[in-house]
Amino acid sequence: MTANRPPEASPYPTEPPAAAPYQVGRARTVLRAVAMVSCLPYIGLKAAWIAGGRVGVPDGSPLLDGGAALRVANGVTVLMDAAVIVLALLLTRPWGRRVPAWLLVAPMWVASGLLLPIMTGFPIQLLVRLLGGGGDGRPVGEAASEPFLDPWVFGVVYGGFIVQGLALGALFALYAKERWGRLWQGRLRDLPESPTAPALRATAVAAALAALLPGIAHLLWAAGSTAGLNAGRAADRTSDFYVLEAVNLLFVVVTVVGVLLLAFRRTGRLPLRLPLVLVWAGSAETACWGGWLSMAALMGAGEAADQPTAAMTVTYAGQMLAGALVATLGAYFFAERAAAASVLPATAGGPEPDPAAASAPAASAVPAASTASAVSAPSSGSRVS
């Protein structure tokens, strides 16, 4: 009779090892806190206005006559800006890695489109005024004859928007690199031929043609022409107006250059991420800011002088169309890259393919609710918001 011996340990693990706990570095923790805190000035002002307060609103401002409609609009914009807090948490919490790609990418794309013109234009407006450019203390063509908000409000709110954009953009860049970084590695010349390449090139050409009219209009307006502007906008131009038009023109050019580089790949030595960044920023600004300007023109069209002209309407519609086409092209590009990456083994030492990569930033072509908004409804084509 043999002595009882303990069973030998199996050489194979009986259960998978526990996954390493998700850790957020110090940098992301700081960026998350900065993004959240930067929302407070805007949300606080809006909450005060909803409650009937007049902080920052001078006598004679049209905001005093807004009534229930303005309160509803202020409530909506509070929710829009509060979405920045949700995004900051999503980008830095473990559950954020399980969120479908489209649910993250779409609001980030819209946020980029609404924040980029502020982040670009407002500092330039301040610089031009410091150099004696003739601004009146209210950004982007706010006329002195129409007391809208106290000048300090724009600095506080737009300063908060700029901080939001920087912090949220940094968080998204870190998140996207970890989750989808394989999709934009390499150079343009390394991209394989795709059966959809002719369709993508046709879309790129269509987007460039759609951007032609907005580009010409913004060029003329930045150069001082009043062609196509309504009477109110033409009379209220300041240095801030010209800065905004130059910024709009810049992003139209960025959109066209980015989409043509990505579709035709003539300069193969360029890193792939460069045209992708141009496509992201350009399509977001042209589509979302064009949509905002269209809505603002309609909301601020109480008097005949403020009615948007046909040229303004077509210009903003052209921006939206061009941006939407470019975003659609980018979505299909990422969908193809994600599908190819999902069937290839991970590179040595690299992360395993993310199951969510199949839904990589492809679904972002359809804009969602924005995470940044205006101080209030601007006059057509004028106020950075």
Side-chain angles (χ1 to χ4, degrees), residues 29-385:
T29 302
V30 172
L31 288 170
R32 180 178 61 196
V34 169
M36 292 179 172
V37 171
S38 64
C39 299
L40 297 181
Y42 183 78
I43 294 176
L45 278 172
K46 288 285 188 171
W49 296 341
I50 293 172
R54 291 187 51 182
V55 57
V57 182
D59 294 333
S61 171
L63 294 179
L64 300 177
D65 302 324
L70 184 59
R71 286 189 174 89
V72 171
N74 283 336
V76 171
T77 54
V78 166
L79 295 177
M80 291 161 64
D81 200 51
V84 171
I85 298 175
V86 177
L87 285 173
L89 290 172
L90 188 153
L91 293 169
T92 55
R93 302 302 301 164
W95 51 267
R97 298 298 298 271
R98 300 188 294 272
V99 171
W102 68 266
L103 193 57
L104 166 65
V105 174
M108 280 300 308
W109 182 77
V110 175
S112 300
L114 295 178
L115 288 172
L116 279 171
I118 297 174
M119 297 170 65
T120 308
F122 187 60
I124 299 176
Q125 290 172 341
L126 294 179
L127 178 62
V128 170
R129 276 191 234 123
L130 287 176
L131 297 176
D136 60 1
R138 292 176 170 82
V140 196
E142 177 66 28
S145 59
E146 179 187 312
F148 186 76
L149 289 169
D150 290 335
W152 65 266
V153 174
F154 294 101
V156 170
V157 172
Y158 291 164
F161 284 165
I162 291 173
V163 174
Q164 285 178 34
L166 293 174
L168 202 62
L171 287 174
F172 181 66
L174 294 171
Y175 177 101
K177 182 179 180 181
E178 289 183 352
R179 186 169 176 180
W180 304 303
R182 297 177 67 201
L183 301 183
W184 57 72
Q185 291 178 354
R187 298 181 181 275
L188 280 174
R189 66 185 175 193
D190 300 327
L191 291 175
E193 279 298 323
S194 166
T196 62
L200 294 180
R201 288 170 184 151
T203 303
V205 172
L209 292 176
L212 184 60
L213 179 58
I216 293 174
H218 290 306
L219 175 61
L220 292 175
W221 295 340
S225 173
T226 60
L229 292 175
N230 58 34
R233 183 66 264 149
D236 291 344
R237 290 173 302 161
T238 67
S239 62
D240 297 327
F241 169 83
Y242 298 116
V243 169
L244 181 61
E245 292 305 318
V247 168
N248 286 331
L249 174 62
L250 170 65
F251 279 103
V252 170
V253 173
V254 164
T255 303
V256 173
V257 171
V259 75
L260 293 180
L261 283 176
L262 188 60
F264 290 94
R265 309 167 190 176
R266 298 299 185 190
T267 52
R269 294 184 179 181
L270 287 177
L272 177 58
R273 65 174 62 92
L274 175 59
L276 290 177
V277 168
L278 296 179
V279 163
W280 175 279
S283 67
E285 199 276 348
T286 52
C288 300
W289 196 248
W292 179 259
L293 292 177
S294 297
M295 183 177 65
L298 296 175
M299 292 178 63
E303 300 180 2
D306 295 326
Q307 293 283 344
T309 65
M312 295 169 65
T313 301
V314 172
T315 296
Y316 303 150
Q319 284 187 232
M320 290 188 287
L321 177 60
L325 286 173
V326 173
T328 302
L329 184 147
Y332 276 102
F333 175 84
F334 272 115
E336 285 190 340
R337 295 278 289 177
S342 65
V343 298
L344 293 176
T347 55
E352 292 296 324
D354 187 354
S359 62
S364 62
V366 181
S370 72
T371 61
S373 54
V375 173
S376 89
S379 58
S380 61
S382 61
R383 200 169 296 122
V384 169
S385 304

